[in-house]
Structure formats: structure tokens, C-alpha cells
Amino acid sequence: MLGVALAFAVHTINASALEEFAQATRSINGTPDLQLRNAQGHVDERLYPLLAREPEVARASPVLELQLQASATSTADRQTPTLIRVLGVDALLLPATAPALMPRPWASLPTDRLALFAPAAVYLNAQARRALDLPEAPAEAPSITLRRGLEQFAVRVAGTVVAGGAPLAVMDLGAAQDMFGLAGSLSRIDLQLRPGTVRSSFTQRMAQRTDWPPGLVWANAQDAGQRMDALSRAYRVNLSVLALVALFTGAFLVFSVLSLSVAQRSAAFALLAVLGATPRQRLLLVLLESATFGVVGSAVGVALGTALAAGALRLLGGDLGGGYFSGAEPALQWSALAAAGYGALGVLAALLGGWWPARTAEALPPAQTLKGLHTAGTQAPSPRTGLALLATGVLLAFAPAVADLPVAAYLSVAALLLGGIALLPSGAALLLKALGAWSRRHPLALLAVERARRTPGLAAVAVGGVVASLALAVALTVMVSSFRGSMVQWLDAVLPAPLYVRGASADGQAAFSERFVQAARALPALARVEGLRVVQLQPDPARPAVALIARPLQAGADKVLPLIGPALAVPFGRVAVYASEAAADLWGARPGSDLAPFLESFRALAQDGQAPAASFFVAGVWRDYARQTGALVIDSNAFAALSGERGANDLALWPTEGTDMSSARRAITQLATQQAGAAAAEGLQFSSAGEVRERSLRIFDRSFAVTYWLQALAIGIGLFGVAASFSAQVLARRKEFGLLAHLGLTRAQILAVVASEGAAWTGVGAAAGLLLGVAVSLVLVLVVNPQSFHWTMELRLPLLRLLLLCAAVVLAGTATAWLAGRAAAGRDAVMAVKEDW
């Protein structure tokens, strides 16, 4: 039930978030056949009339898009700025191209026909109004403040738009160009082609034009959805696989309950055989019980999963801690087909869990069983199967990814777990044999150890679920600990300065001008100032953009970047570029390569429009946990020579000796006030290295919060399986307990025997789970994460935490066995002996 609920909830949340993003993208972009963009920066507006006159083009729509910070003017001093998407559009084209963006004046205010073209008027969607705390029917048009770097712009909210998704503001294209100083610039040109036009032929003909600027790329309308799907796919798949862990352990729960149920009812199955029931009918009877468990559990699981998904979407949005989806609360997207699919998985898991008990019931010898001379389910299987599964798991771990997903690695984890569980009886026999000499000095322990040793087949039955869930819990603990430790080490490397300041900029332009950076370096309170410039490169519109980071590298890349391996010597006349692990994997930016996919993007950066003649050289690969889609680092001077820009998005500040942080902040704030005014200085965001580190780790812990919950639920299901196993076991052993009572053992001593058995079994399970968990963690750390997210990490084993986790499982299993034994060690056990008289 819980396995189906968790898996279906994760699927529904992911589907809802993706559908919300797709709907928002469709409402904002409309339905263009093609989009003309630049690999970096803006598109020249002079291309718009050229495209509009092409015979294959039915309609062309120019769009200017910016990401800015916004706050309500009346509460700007106490309101956290909202990241808002500002679209400059041609309102006359919107009814035919993107009707959801059509401005609607406030119904409560007088209507002005020319308000669509007002120079400082914007129209907000519902999410923007909520984020800025604006009324739905204002008595007068409210005003908001938009910030970009040290600039701020006061605009009037003239009405609304119906487009959904993240906070959005729509304004006239010409007004946006004039306000933000982007005359002649566009973000994209949307095209609707005439019927019968072949898009590939059209784009090929356009690409052959030699009079157009470099760096232009053609995009499809669905590319944004594909980019988001590719960006979040690994996170979503990993969450789904983790949710299926509960389904995996649930199968062991069914296996445990039905195995011991078959052992308890062996006489009844033998009687059915005497009365004419064939072995196949006995097998089908147990499988029918399994299917019944699966159908009922799956139905409840789908209902519970729906409720979990609805609650998570309302409380957490579609992120689940991953940070991929932002904006409005996604509507629940319930799919009957998906519900049936996950329900079928639940039934299949129950049938798999019941297969071996069904085979046991099929193979019961009726005569021996009726005479009490046969004990079902106590024979240990051959260890060959387990060894073969372990070998298969090791081989699968070396297989490459499939469609950028670690499919073989997941199968490797499953094979390792199944192989380890199959070897449980053999491992338990060896361990119990080693305990034999010690147990002979303790009579009660001797009873527990000897019984466990003579029924090795019950090991997999009793603790199989615990081994599976504990192994995965250990593996996830090691993986998260390794990731967190590596991230702390990475933060120490990329945050060398004690203080950082960021301007209110998110549209790709520099927040701080060259003039401001030079003035900051001359401040007496600062001993050193370094600028960081980030631009987005997107040579392929169907793939996520790559960040190009310009920062000073004169001291040596190994002193600034967490390089993996030594940097290569840069040949004369070439410019060194350092690629992140993701850029190396996704774009082939290997050491020694020349960044061929990005040459057109760099040409677009160059002022003279001349190709750099493959002058770039990937000199090394560095570890980056901030950008899953890849990043390239270039020296600031090389970037300035390439683009003519010397501004910065962020500044790293080193105060002079004897100057505290607050004095350094005041110095930068005063400089911003002098150059742009007091209001602009309010948009500066200061953070110490410690604050950035703490915030980053808080985001990290939040992103893994769902992992911790799923991990705890898997262990809980495993322990519930132990409880079910021991409960059924002690009920089947009432005669044994009664005989022990007649031989003089007290109730407390009988309970001690049962608790000792529980400690022995869960101890074996904990040891096996720990070893399997460490093996699985190697696959997660060394294979799954690099193949899923394209970054590596250092393996870290938190031994104390792992030992405490195993000790907690052993204590819980011992307590569970003791509680289960209380019900069978009373007067009923004594009376049960009379059944044989």
C-alpha cells in the first residue's frame, strides 16, 4: 500500500509540475511554429521586417524578455523582492499569436484605449499580483518598482493578463525597449508559417544567408518543455526509483507473511491434498491470496498517493525540494492510466512476494505433513543464485547510461540487493556456527542459536525486508554524506572572499558597470575587489543553456577552481577555458578540445563579428555543484577582449586589515548611492561567505528532505515485516513454548529465548544490510550520480551514524520479537500441548 502510494504520489507531483510548466509556456509563447533566438544575448531588431516579408511567413511577432526584481512601491522597504518575468510585446499581434498575454485593463478603473501603449504601464498575471500583494480590484492603479543592477524603474500596473505560471508582467515592446535602454534589441522573434511550409527547409534556407549576424539559432515552440524535461528528468527518475523502494520492501513483507502463514497452515494444505486438491491448485490458492493483498493494497495506495500528491502540491509546489519548478501552485493532474499502471505494479510486487510461499505449498508432502514430520520453509536455498546475482550486479555497474539515465546502475542495485538476500541463509549459518561455542555456556542462548541454526531458510523470510530497506538506507546515508561533505569542500574552494555583493540583475546584463567596479577597487575600506560576470550560452535551443563565467584567473586556475586533475598547458595564441564536469559530459568539452559547439556563441559575443578561428582550448575540468547543465570559466581579461564588457554580476570583497564587514558594506552602499542614488543602493544584496555556505547547505538539506522521509518509510516497512514474521512464527510455535513451560522454563525465560532469536536474526540482517548498503553506496556515488547529474564526489563513510542505524534496527527487531512472544507464551501455550495427548 505504502509503496504504491509513494510511487504514485511522486509520479503525480512530477506530472502536475511538468504540465503546469507546459501550460504556462504555451500561454506565454502562444503557438509559434518557429522562434529565432541568439545563442547569446539579444537579436537585432532589423531582422524582424526581413523575416516578416518572407513569403513562407504568415505572421512574425517580436518579443523582448527580461528577468527583473519587483516590489510594490508602497512596501518596497520591507518587502522581499520578487523575481518577475517582463515581456515586451506588440499588443496588436497578441490576439493572433498569444491571446493569453492580451492586456486587460482594471475593471474597477476607467478604461483608456491607449493604455496598451503607455510608456510605463505593465499588466500582471495572478501569480505576480499575489507575490506583490496587490488587490484584485484596486481603487486606483497601483505602482511597482522594477530593479536591474543599480537601476530602478517605477511602473504603473494598468491591468491584468490571464497567462499562468510564474510571476509575469506584460508591457508594450517599444516602451520596454525605451525604459530598459535596449532600443533595437529583441529576445526572440516568433514566426507562424503559412500552411504547407516545411520548417526544416525554411530554416535551412535562412541559415544559408551570409548577411545575417553570427550566433542565430532556430527553436521550436516545444523546446522549452523539452529543456525542462531534460533538466529535471534525472531528479524525477531518482525520486521515483526511491519511492519504488517501498514497493520493493513491500514485496518482502508479503513474502514474509505468506511464507510463515503457509508454514502455520501446512496441516490444512496437507488435508486439502488428501481431499483431492492438486499441487497446482494449492499454488494457485496462495497466489490468489497474494493477488488479493495486492489489489486491496494497490487500491488504497492509489487513493493515499492521490491525497499525498494533492497535499504536497499545496504545501511544497511541484519542486519536492529540487528547485526545478517555480511559480504558481500546479493543479493536480490525475491520470487513470498511471493509477492503473502503479496499481498493477503493486499487484505484481505482491505476486512476486507470494511466489515462493506458493511453491512451498505446492511441494508439501501430505502424509508427512499430517504426521508432523515435515517443516516447511526451513531449508536453505543454494548460494549459487545469490553469487550469480552479485556478479551480475557488479557487471551492470560498469555499463554506460541509457538516454542519460543510469538504467543499468539501477538494475545493478536491484541485483546486489537480491543477491545479498539470497545469500542470507548461508551467511546466517556461518555466523550462528561461530556463536555455537559461546552459546553452550548460556542455556537460553543455546536454545535460540540452535533453533536458528537448524532453520536457516527462515533467515530470508524473517529479515529479508529489513536487509533490503536497511541496505538502501545505509547506501543513501553514505551518498548524502558524501555529497554534503564534497559540497562543503567545494564551497570552501569557490568562496575565497569573506564578503560578496550582488546587484538586482537577472536578465543577463551586468549589474555593476566597469566604472563602479573600478571605483570599488579604489575604496580605502577594501583591499581587493574581484568581479564575476555570467552570461548564458545556448547553441542548441532544445538543450539547457550553459553558463559562461568570467573571473580573474591570473593567480592560476588551480588556485581558484576545484580542478579535477592538473590543468593542461595552453598552446600559444589560444585562450584557456575550463569546463565543469557537466559541460564535459554533455557538450564534449574535454581537456584539449576546442569547444566546437560554442564557437558560434563566442562569435556572437565578439564585437567585430569575426569568428575566433577556434582559438579556445579546454585546459581543465572542474567540479561544479551549482549548475547541472554545465559551466565554462574564462579569464576576465580574455572575456573583455572578446566582448568588450568589463562589468560584473557579483563582486567578491576583501576588506582591508582592521576593517570589519559592516564598514565594507557601508563603503559599497555609499558608492552605489553616489553613482545611482539611495533608492538604487537598496537593491544591493550582501552575503558573507558563511551566510552563502549556510544558505547553500540549507537548500541542500531541503532538496534531500523527501529522500529522508522515503528512507524512513522503507525502514518502517521492513520492520513491520519483521513484526509480521515473528508474530506468525510465535503463533505457530505455541506447542513448543508450552513444552518449554512444562520443562520448567518461566514465562520470562521463554520471552528471553524469543528476544534472543529476534536479536540473532536482526543482527544477521543488520550486518548483511550494512555490507550490502556500502556496496550499493559505491554504485550510487560512483555511477548513479555521475550518470544522472554529471558530477562526481568524494566517498565518505559516516561510520558512527551507520553503526547507530544498525543498532537501532537490532533493538527494534529484538523488541518486536519480545512483544510478539508475549502473546504466545501465556496459558494458551501450555494448553496447546494437550492437543497432542
Side-chain angles (χ1 to χ4, degrees):
M1 178 185 73
L2 284 177
V4 174
L6 291 172
F8 184 63
V10 170
H11 168 83
T12 303
I13 292 168
N14 290 329
S16 301
L18 283 173
E19 180 60 25
E20 169 68 21
F21 179 83
Q23 289 179 358
T25 301
R26 286 194 296 267
S27 66
I28 293 172
N29 291 348
T31 56
D33 297 309
L34 286 172
Q35 293 178 336
L36 180 64
R37 296 177 177 270
N38 210 327
Q40 190 281 326
H42 293 102
V43 177
D44 193 330
E45 189 180 45
R46 289 175 293 182
L47 296 178
Y48 167 61
L50 299 179
L51 283 172
R53 288 195 293 266
E54 289 291 331
E56 297 95 335
V57 177
R59 191 175 291 105
S61 176
V63 179
L64 178 63
E65 180 178 341
L66 301 172
Q67 294 281 351
L68 304 176
Q69 288 184 358
S71 57
T73 302
S74 58
T75 59
D77 57 339
R78 61 180 183 276
Q79 185 185 54
T80 302
T82 298
L83 190 63
I84 191 170
R85 187 178 184 181
V86 179
L87 290 182
V89 295
D90 187 342
L92 298 179
L93 295 173
L94 288 179
T97 58
L101 296 180
M102 192 64 194
R104 299 183 177 188
W106 295 112
S108 58
L109 299 178
T111 302
D112 182 1
R113 291 184 178 181
L114 299 180
L116 299 177
F117 312 101
V122 297
Y123 297 81
L124 305 181
N125 68 348
Q127 184 66 11
R129 296 197 309 273
R130 284 194 292 267
L132 296 171
D133 197 21
L134 298 180
E136 295 185 5
E140 60 180 11
S143 61
I144 63 174
T145 300
L146 302 177
R147 287 194 176 93
R148 181 185 63 181
L150 297 180
E151 301 175 288
Q152 65 173 4
F153 312 91
V155 296
R156 178 175 56 89
V157 181
T160 64
V161 295
V162 298
L168 173 72
V170 176
M171 63 187 304
D172 177 65
L173 174 61
Q177 290 175 324
D178 293 340
M179 174 177 288
F180 301 114
L182 295 172
S185 296
L186 300 173
S187 298
R188 68 176 191 268
I189 301 174
D190 294 343
L191 301 179
Q192 289 182 346
L193 303 179
R194 297 188 184 279
T197 301
V198 180
R199 284 185 293 185
S200 58
S201 301
F202 176 76
T203 56
Q204 185 177 5
R205 185 170 69 83
M206 292 294 101
Q208 293 173 352
R209 299 187 59 156
T210 59
D211 56 335
W212 284 18
L216 296 176
V217 294
W218 291 98
N220 294 320
Q222 64 270 25
D223 284 343
Q226 292 177 355
R227 288 196 301 270
M228 180 55 67
D229 179 75
L231 182 63
S232 62
R233 183 193 307 156
Y235 181 76
R236 292 182 285 112
V237 170
N238 278 292
L239 269 185
S240 299
V241 171
L242 186 57
L244 290 173
V245 168
L247 199 63
F248 184 75
T249 53
F252 280 101
L253 178 58
V254 173
F255 171 64
S256 301
V257 172
L258 285 181
S259 292
L260 294 167
S261 175
V262 168
Q264 181 183 3
R265 296 181 295 158
S266 57
F269 282 113
L271 181 60
L272 288 175
V274 172
L275 294 176
T278 64
R280 182 173 180 80
Q281 288 174 330
R282 299 198 300 270
L283 180 141
L284 292 177
L285 178 62
V286 178
L287 288 180
L288 183 61
E289 292 181 14
S290 304
T292 303
F293 289 153
V295 170
V296 174
S298 296
V300 177
V302 168
L304 181 58
T306 304
L308 288 174
L313 289 174
R314 187 174 297 108
L315 298 175
L316 304 174
D319 285 313
L320 284 180
Y324 296 100
F325 306 102
S326 60
E329 174 189 316
L332 182 69
Q333 300 292 329
W334 195 89
S335 169
L337 182 62
Y342 281 95
L345 281 177
V347 175
L348 178 62
L351 288 173
L352 290 175
W355 173 252
W356 189 259
R359 290 295 304 272
T360 301
E362 179 187 32
L364 278 176
Q368 290 181 326
T369 303
L370 286 176
K371 294 178 181 180
L373 300 177
H374 177 75
T375 305
T378 60
Q379 298 301 314
S382 171
R384 294 179 182 176
T385 302
L387 293 174
L389 286 169
L390 290 179
T392 302
V394 172
L395 293 176
L396 287 172
F398 291 94
V402 178
D404 286 333
L405 291 176
V407 177
Y410 293 137
L411 295 176
S412 170
V413 170
L416 290 174
L417 291 174
L418 291 173
I421 292 170
L423 288 175
L424 268 178
S426 301
L430 292 175
L431 181 60
L432 294 171
K433 184 178 180 180
L435 292 174
W438 170 82
S439 64
R440 293 189 186 96
R441 298 192 296 269
H442 304 82
L444 295 181
L446 179 62
L447 285 173
V449 170
E450 282 300 312
R451 188 182 189 282
R453 190 171 65 84
R454 295 176 186 277
T455 56
L458 291 177
V461 176
V463 295
V466 166
V467 171
S469 56
L470 179 60
L472 288 165
V474 167
L476 290 172
T477 300
V478 173
M479 188 269 290
V480 172
S481 179
S482 300
F483 197 177
R484 201 177 194 278
S486 298
M487 187 172 181
V488 170
Q489 192 175 25
W490 172 77
L491 288 170
D492 292 337
V494 299
L495 296 173
L499 184 63
Y500 293 85
V501 60
R502 169 172 293 181
S505 175
D507 63 351
Q509 294 190 354
F512 303 106
S513 65
E514 180 184 1
R515 173 170 166 260
F516 184 92
V517 176
Q518 294 298 335
R521 287 173 177 158
L523 291 173
L526 298 175
R528 180 178 163 195
V529 175
E530 285 189 359
L532 184 78
R533 182 74 171 97
V534 181
V535 297
Q536 299 296 323
L537 304 178
Q538 194 167 20
D540 185 352
R543 303 171 66 179
V546 175
L548 175 64
I549 305 170
R551 61 182 303 174
L553 298 177
Q554 291 86 349
D558 56 334
K559 303 293 193 303
V560 178
L561 299 173
L563 294 179
I564 301 174
L568 300 180
V570 183
F572 178 76
R574 305 188 72 178
V575 178
V577 175
Y578 299 88
S580 69
E581 292 178 299
D585 287 348
L586 296 174
W587 295 94
R590 305 289 181 182
S593 64
D594 59 2
L595 287 178
F598 295 95
L599 292 182
E600 286 298 311
S601 301
F602 281 111
R603 287 185 62 201
L605 284 173
Q607 286 184 314
D608 57 6
Q610 298 300 314
S615 61
F616 299 98
F617 181 81
V618 180
V621 175
W622 60 290
R623 185 169 290 163
D624 181 25
Y625 294 135
R627 302 166 188 87
Q628 183 184 330
T629 58
L632 304 171
V633 176
I634 188 172
D635 182 70
S636 298
N637 291 331
F639 178 79
L642 175 70
S643 64
E645 294 187 33
R646 292 187 179 273
N649 299 93
D650 302 270
L651 296 179
L653 310 176
W654 283 263
T656 56
E657 187 176 354
T659 302
D660 57 17
M661 296 285 213
S662 58
S663 298
R665 294 188 186 198
R666 283 196 301 270
I668 289 291
T669 303
Q670 290 173 1
L671 177 61
T673 303
Q674 292 171 4
Q675 291 198 3
E682 295 176 359
L684 296 178
Q685 303 172 16
F686 290 92
S687 299
S688 67
E691 291 171 343
V692 175
R693 184 182 292 103
E694 181 183 354
R695 184 165 60 248
S696 300
L697 294 177
R698 186 165 58 247
I699 294 173
F700 176 90
D701 292 334
R702 184 183 65 194
S703 67
F704 280 94
V706 177
T707 300
Y708 297 142
W709 281 105
L710 294 176
Q711 176 181 335
L713 284 172
I715 291 180
I717 293 174
L719 289 176
F720 186 78
V722 172
S725 298
F726 277 104
S727 296
Q729 204 176 137
V730 297
L731 287 175
R733 295 169 58 192
R734 287 185 307 141
K735 295 179 181 179
E736 176 187 336
F737 294 147
L739 180 60
L740 292 175
H742 278 90
L743 293 176
L745 270 68
T746 64
R747 186 170 185 268
Q749 290 174 322
I750 295 175
L751 290 177
V753 171
V754 176
S756 299
E757 291 180 14
W761 285 130
T762 50
V764 170
L770 179 61
L771 294 176
L772 280 177
V774 172
V776 171
S777 70
L778 293 175
V779 179
L780 294 180
V781 172
L782 303 179
V783 182
V784 171
N785 271 283
Q787 290 185 359
S788 295
F789 303 105
H790 307 286
W791 53 47
T792 60
M793 62 188 75
E794 302 294 334
L795 182 67
R796 298 170 185 264
L797 294 176
L799 292 178
L800 180 59
R801 195 185 313 170
L802 297 180
L803 291 176
L804 289 176
L805 180 61
C806 293
V809 169
V810 173
L811 289 175
T814 303
T816 298
W818 183 82
L819 292 173
R822 292 189 63 187
R827 188 172 182 275
D828 289 343
V830 178
M831 299 301 296
V833 181
K834 295 183 178 180
E835 295 176 7
D836 290 335
W837 293 358

